Amino acid sequence: MSNATRARVADIMTRGVLSLRDDQTLFEVRELMGEHQIRNVPILDDSGRPIGLATQKNVLREVLTVTDQHGYAQLDHHLAQIPLSQVLEPDFNTVSSDTPLVEAGRLLLNYRQVSLPVVDDGTLVGILSLVDYVRVFVDRLEAEELSLA
């Protein structure tokens, strides 16, 4: 990423995004989030187009509801009965891979999101998260420190 060209989402986004389909379950998304330490999972329709997000907040809310109703011992069983289509967040922002990083960063801040699915021509191609921005910032600070040494 050079200063001569405007930095774009494609420069720092995460490719190879973990996603699930809307007919998969709350149990599956909870397991995926835990295993990979991620907070948002794009949910795709049968055509592979993003139709929503499973957010850590939504998953936690459902886990607490199920636990209150059925107890912790039955949690996994009941989560496996709830399709993601019932709990996904249908209103979510996306960006394209050529969106300027400044614009994408403003979206993250203004909507208090932790990530944005990156969608080109209706297809999920990546995800941009706050972690991606922090990584760029740390890399730049390290480069400055090396140049001063």
Side-chain angles (χ1 to χ4, degrees):
M1 181 170 43
S2 113
N3 288 337
T5 62
R6 287 185 76 186
R8 305 266 178 211
V9 166
D11 296 328
I12 70 168
M13 72 181 189
T14 300
R15 291 168 168 78
V17 180
L18 298 171
S19 63
L20 294 173
R21 297 178 67 121
D22 63 342
D23 61 348
Q24 289 182 276
T25 67
L26 196 53
F27 175 80
E28 291 171 286
V29 78
R30 187 187 65 156
E31 292 292 302
L32 186 70
M33 287 176 162
E35 181 180 339
H36 296 280
Q37 298 296 298
I38 54 178
R39 292 185 263 175
N40 290 332
V41 176
I43 307 303
L44 310 178
D45 67 11
D46 290 338
S47 304
R49 296 183 183 276
I51 58 169
L53 283 177
T55 66
Q56 186 178 40
K57 180 180 171 182
N58 288 358
V59 170
L60 181 57
R61 182 178 53 238
E62 293 298 322
V63 164
L64 292 173
T65 299
V66 169
T67 302
D68 283 348
Q69 292 174 355
H70 304 285
Y72 184 75
Q74 294 294 312
L75 180 62
D76 289 349
H77 169 76
H78 287 282
L79 292 181
Q81 307 306 311
I82 302 171
L84 290 174
S85 59
Q86 291 181 14
V87 296
L88 61 79
E89 179 62 47
D91 298 322
F92 61 102
N93 294 305
T94 65
V95 292
S96 68
S97 60
D98 66 344
T99 301
L101 280 179
V102 170
E103 183 181 325
R106 283 191 187 113
L107 264 177
L108 287 169
L109 289 172
N110 291 341
Y111 290 94
R112 297 180 157 274
Q113 290 181 243
V114 296
S115 65
L116 292 165
V118 182
V119 179
D120 289 339
D121 299 321
T123 302
L124 182 70
V125 296
I127 197 157
L128 179 70
S129 72
L130 293 175
V131 171
D132 296 318
Y133 278 93
V134 170
R135 189 177 301 115
V136 168
F137 184 69
V138 168
D139 288 348
R140 288 194 176 185
L141 287 175
E142 286 176 345
E144 281 181 27
E145 287 176 4
L146 285 174
S147 70
L148 295 174

